[in-house]
Amino acid sequence: EYIGIGLNNLGQVYAMRGDYEKSKIYFDEGLKTDREAGNKNGMCISLINIGVLALQNADYKTAQGYLEEAFMLSREIGNNIGHLYSLVSLGQLSFKKEEMVMAKKYFVDCLTAQSEFTELKSFTLAVTGIAELKLLNDESEIAVRLMGALKAKLDLTGAYLDDEVNSKINEILDTSELKIGKEKTSEEFEKGKSLSDKDAIELAVK
């Protein structure tokens, strides 16, 4: 079990460095190790890691296969974290493939699965994904409110905002300013900061 975790951790290190080839070697080895050991929880992690890596490299067919396997396996064994990450990753994949109806379904499913507790990273990715969909549908006000709710939640928890999340939030706000103006964007952002998690989820899934 610990060997698989170690291999996945090494894969993550190389992925963060941008060395995707070496990262995949460690993820593949982690998956092989966990399959042989019958460690299905470890397999979930490896499958998601390989799927996300393929997504980042625009290898959508490969990503689909690994992420769907992770989704099915996580449901089978009741791995909640794996379930959430496979859902949000499938949402991101569908968005990249311009399958917007499916993207929304996956993002919404990820959020509604968090009614009892919040897993911050998958929650953040799902909310930003839905906000991007709202922008495409000319629902800029809702998109900005969601960003306000997300920023307030992240500030409250003291969570570290990685560059990807910061960049995505700023991109959504900048796009909104072009659509509805800076003043209206600021106003809606402040409204969003007062939303509870439940209210934010309800707003997102509309």
Side-chain angles (χ1 to χ4, degrees):
E1 178 179 346
Y2 294 111
I3 294 174
I5 292 172
L7 289 166
N8 271 286
N9 287 342
L10 283 169
Q12 291 284 11
V13 169
Y14 283 105
M16 289 171 63
R17 293 178 180 175
D19 191 339
Y20 296 117
E21 186 175 335
K22 188 164 282 189
S23 176
K24 188 173 185 303
I25 290 172
Y26 283 109
F27 289 152
D28 284 341
E29 190 61 32
L31 179 58
K32 179 184 175 184
T33 299
D34 287 326
R35 280 196 197 279
E36 291 174 350
N39 178 13
K40 292 186 176 181
N41 284 306
M43 285 171 58
C44 273
I45 296 171
S46 296
L47 289 165
I48 292 167
N49 283 339
I50 296 169
V52 170
L53 195 67
L55 172 58
Q56 290 171 341
N57 284 280
D59 184 356
Y60 300 148
K61 184 176 180 180
T62 298
Q64 187 96 30
Y66 280 104
L67 293 173
E68 285 182 349
E69 185 179 353
F71 173 73
M72 297 299 292
L73 183 60
S74 64
R75 285 206 308 184
E76 174 194 328
I77 64 176
N79 184 321
N80 290 329
I81 300 299
H83 183 62
L84 295 174
Y85 274 97
S86 58
L87 281 171
V88 78
S89 299
L90 283 165
Q92 291 176 317
L93 173 62
S94 297
F95 188 92
K96 288 290 187 181
K97 294 169 67 178
E98 299 185 358
E99 297 171 353
M100 301 312 182
V101 173
M102 287 305 300
K104 182 179 179 181
K105 180 184 184 305
Y106 284 126
F107 289 141
V108 166
D109 285 352
C110 180
L111 289 180
T112 54
Q114 303 194 45
S115 58
E116 299 299 324
F117 77 101
T118 300
E119 197 290 312
L120 198 56
K121 180 68 172 180
S122 60
F123 180 89
T124 298
L125 295 174
V127 170
T128 53
I130 288 176
E132 288 185 292
L133 291 171
K134 296 293 186 186
L135 283 177
L136 290 174
N137 291 328
D138 290 325
E139 299 177 86
S140 300
E141 290 88 349
I142 294 177
V144 175
R145 281 188 217 172
L146 290 174
M147 291 302 91
L150 178 60
K151 185 65 166 60
K153 182 175 183 61
L154 293 171
D155 288 345
L156 182 65
T157 59
Y160 168 72
L161 284 179
D162 60 33
D163 290 341
E164 178 187 359
V165 173
N166 260 323
S167 175
K168 187 60 66 180
I169 291 174
N170 289 332
E171 179 185 323
I172 290 168
L173 294 177
D174 289 345
T175 303
S176 174
E177 287 184 5
L178 292 174
K179 286 176 173 283
I180 61 175
K182 190 169 185 177
E183 184 176 340
K184 183 66 172 174
T185 295
S186 178
E187 178 185 325
E188 296 296 335
F189 187 78
E190 290 302 315
K191 286 181 183 178
K193 287 167 72 173
S194 66
L195 293 174
S196 66
D197 283 359
K198 182 181 177 182
D199 289 339
I201 291 173
E202 286 180 357
L203 182 64
V205 303
K206 283 183 179 179

